[in-house]
Amino acid sequence: MPKPEGSFSPAPPATPPAPATRPASVPPAGLKPVDKDTTAGILFGIGAYGLWGLLPLYFFVLHPAGAVEIVANRVVWSLVFCILLVTVTRSWRVLTDAFRNRAVIGPLSIAAALIAVNWLTYTYGVTTGQAVEAALGYFINPLVSVLLGVFVLKEKLRPLQWAAVGIGFIAVGVLTVSYGKLPWIALTLAFSFGLYGFVKKRVGPRADAVTSLSVETIVLAPLAAATMIVLAVSGAATLTTNGAGHFWLLAASGVITAVPLLFFGASARRLPMTTIGLLQYFAPVLQFIVALVVFQETMTLDRWIGFGVVWLALLVLTLDMLLAAGKSSATRKRARATA
């Protein structure tokens, strides 16, 4: 039997040979080992999209603060949180280098403007009783990303992608009739976030999540601070007039903004884009449930039909994504086998 030193002694003849023990790291036959990195990535992804999905509840408890005040505070307190984070991680040199690099500061400045539009529109939708339409924007967002690929990157769509986009246009038409107007909140959210993701992708690995958020908040901070001052002078601000609890809830917007973004960054580093693509539906589903169950917003039959058409488009898009990922995986396996 094995000894600590690695030598062996014969087993007694009357005792049958003991079955070979399996190292703890080797799973039983027929079972695949658990990929801890993938598991962590999924948990981080659920954390990120879960927090984004529950964000309407946070805006709800900030009443009577309006959308403009909430977003201004969100920017300023996010900057405070980022400064603390950059200091703790000793990343000031990385942040300084980002401002010196035109290939980074230019796109991130555009990204800052886009995310400001996104935040304002979303907060306005939630605080004015239109959280269902806000959730619709993030359901439509994957279709917008496909369109950006066609018109900006000149990508060629696969048949199922064309089908999904076509169904998406039908859905927008149905919802326009249902709402009696173009669902501009949903479309603004979808296009602003789609463009935001596109711009951030162009920056790529040249700026990590903390650096990106820091640059974006620094760019927006002067306007946000000026807005907070104007609101305070005009008597419209609620930051210091509704008690300590309200103050700290608004101040917490920095952490509430940064934490899911950091979770998302940790998830994206560990998971393939296919898995990220599936997890992204988690946020609008939660937002939709909160709008119906907590805010008790009305969903008429024609709106259910419109949402149903959107979900059909997403189902087709998801099917195409899974098929493409399967083909890509099979191609890589064949390439490794012949190498």
Side-chain angles (χ1 to χ4, degrees), residues 192-242:
S192 61
F193 198 72
L195 287 167
Y196 174 76
F198 172 77
V199 172
K200 295 273 281 191
K201 189 174 181 181
R202 304 294 286 185
V203 176
R206 287 174 290 187
D208 57 26
V210 176
T211 303
S212 293
L213 182 61
S214 300
V215 171
E216 290 164 28
T217 51
I218 288 171
V219 169
L220 295 173
L223 180 59
T227 300
M228 290 176 66
I229 292 171
V230 170
L231 289 173
V233 171
S234 64
T238 66
L239 179 64
T240 59
T241 60
N242 280 61

Side-chain angles (χ1 to χ4, degrees), residues 15-323:
T15 305
T21 57
R22 190 187 309 273
S25 59
V26 179
L31 295 179
K32 294 182 179 180
V34 176
D35 189 335
K36 292 183 180 179
D37 215 34
T38 300
T39 302
I42 291 173
L43 291 176
F44 276 124
I46 292 174
Y49 286 110
L51 289 171
W52 281 327
L54 296 175
L55 201 56
L57 294 174
Y58 172 64
F59 295 149
F60 181 73
V61 299
L62 288 179
H63 182 79
V68 174
E69 183 182 10
I70 291 172
V71 172
N73 275 272
R74 193 174 179 183
V75 170
V76 170
W77 293 111
S78 292
L79 178 58
V80 172
F81 181 80
C82 285
I83 289 173
L84 291 173
L85 202 57
V86 170
T87 302
V88 169
T89 58
R90 299 179 181 179
S91 303
W92 281 106
R93 184 172 180 178
V94 176
L95 184 59
T96 304
D97 290 343
F99 273 94
R100 291 174 178 170
N101 189 341
R102 292 183 180 179
V104 173
I105 187 62
L108 287 184
S109 297
I110 297 172
L114 289 167
I115 203 61
V117 170
N118 184 271
W119 286 355
L120 274 170
T121 306
Y122 183 75
T123 310
Y124 170 79
V126 172
T127 56
T128 56
Q130 301 174 85
V132 166
E133 188 180 341
L136 174 64
Y138 291 105
F139 278 123
I140 297 175
N141 179 63
L143 299 172
V144 171
S145 297
V146 171
L147 285 176
L148 288 174
V150 175
F151 293 109
V152 180
L153 300 178
K154 308 300 181 184
E155 294 176 353
K156 292 183 178 180
L157 295 189
R158 296 181 290 270
L160 282 177
Q161 289 177 313
W162 276 118
V165 170
I167 295 170
F169 275 111
I170 294 172
V172 171
V174 172
L175 289 165
T176 299
V177 173
S178 167
Y179 280 99
K181 61 180 178 64
L182 199 66
W184 69 268
I185 290 177
L187 293 175
T188 302
L189 287 172
F191 277 95
S192 61
F193 198 72
L195 287 167
Y196 174 76
F198 172 77
V199 172
K200 295 273 281 191
K201 189 174 181 181
R202 304 294 286 185
V203 176
R206 287 174 290 187
D208 57 26
V210 176
T211 303
S212 293
L213 182 61
S214 300
V215 171
E216 290 164 28
T217 51
I218 288 171
V219 169
L220 295 173
L223 180 59
T227 300
M228 290 176 66
I229 292 171
V230 170
L231 289 173
V233 171
S234 64
T238 66
L239 179 64
T240 59
T241 60
N242 280 61
H246 184 75
F247 174 87
W248 288 112
L249 278 172
L250 271 173
S253 60
V255 177
I256 290 170
T257 297
V259 168
L261 184 67
L262 296 176
F263 279 3
F264 176 77
S267 177
R269 287 194 300 271
R270 291 170 169 84
L271 296 178
M273 286 308 298
T274 307
T275 308
I276 293 291
L278 293 174
L279 285 174
Q280 72 178 325
Y281 299 137
F282 194 50
V285 166
L286 277 177
Q287 293 166 3
F288 185 72
I289 292 172
V290 167
L292 294 185
V293 176
V294 180
F295 301 159
Q296 297 185 340
E297 292 189 12
T298 303
M299 277 289 286
T300 58
L301 178 60
D302 48 358
R303 290 183 186 179
W304 276 113
I305 293 172
F307 269 79
V309 179
V310 170
W311 294 331
L312 176 61
L314 293 177
L315 181 63
V316 173
L317 193 63
T318 301
L319 177 61
D320 173 81
M321 180 175 60
L322 293 174
L323 290 173

